[in-house]
Amino acid sequence: MLWNRGGEGTSPAPVSSSQLRVLYVLDRDRPINLRTLGDVLGSAPSSVSRMCDRLDALGLIERSPSTASRRELELRLTGRGEKYLRDLRARRETALLDVISALSAAECSALAAGLNGFRAALEDGEARQAADGGGPASATAP
């Protein structure tokens, strides 16, 4: 519900949550090829290709020949794609700050304590996973 408020009016080019994940990955891991993007998303190549077709048609991503291999294409955010994410993040931050500013001091302290506990548990879980040889899970959204 909060993120929906932050996403209102984002752009004349609406994207699905799956397509938004693609944009976040491309923002973090640029450039990236289609196969690697599919691995990160855990999606079939045909699915990833269709999502990229739609995002390319919207002008949010671009495909270009790979510098590493002539047989591959690299995917990147366009300036419009970068602006889309920047605007979305700004609106979501504003929505979050609006909610937080309505909290009492005691509620803010409780929220901070809860978030610190959440972060500690997450880091502990990642450390255990790395120790077990699994490595940390890849995040797809900021």
Side-chain angles (χ1 to χ4, degrees):
M1 181 154 102
L2 176 63
W3 277 162
N4 290 340
R5 268 193 270 162
E8 291 170 0
T10 300
S11 159
V15 298
S16 69
S17 59
S18 296
Q19 292 166 338
L20 185 57
R21 283 185 65 211
V22 170
L23 296 178
Y24 283 137
V25 170
L26 293 180
D27 187 44
R28 185 191 67 212
D29 301 331
R30 50 177 120 177
I32 191 171
N33 65 31
L34 201 58
R35 177 177 302 173
T36 304
L37 178 61
D39 291 345
V40 170
L41 298 174
S43 298
S46 58
S47 244
V48 175
S49 184
R50 281 191 303 274
M51 279 191 287
C52 289
D53 288 344
R54 170 96 168 110
L55 293 169
D56 189 14
L58 292 171
L60 299 175
I61 69 167
E62 64 184 358
R63 297 173 174 145
S64 58
S66 170
T67 56
S69 168
R70 293 186 312 178
R71 297 184 332 172
E72 293 180 357
L73 292 176
E74 294 177 339
L75 304 168
R76 288 182 179 77
L77 290 177
T78 61
R80 183 175 179 186
E82 290 172 355
K83 182 179 182 333
Y84 179 88
L85 285 181
R86 202 171 38 250
D87 292 349
L88 177 63
R89 287 177 174 135
R91 272 190 291 290
R92 286 181 169 179
E93 182 178 336
T94 298
L96 185 58
L97 290 174
D98 288 347
V99 171
I100 291 172
S101 68
L103 298 176
S104 69
E107 290 168 330
C108 279
S109 292
L111 177 61
L115 289 174
N116 282 330
F118 180 85
R119 185 183 65 210
L122 179 64
E123 290 170 353
D124 186 48
E126 287 176 343
R128 275 197 310 274
Q129 188 177 10
D132 292 341
S138 171
T140 59

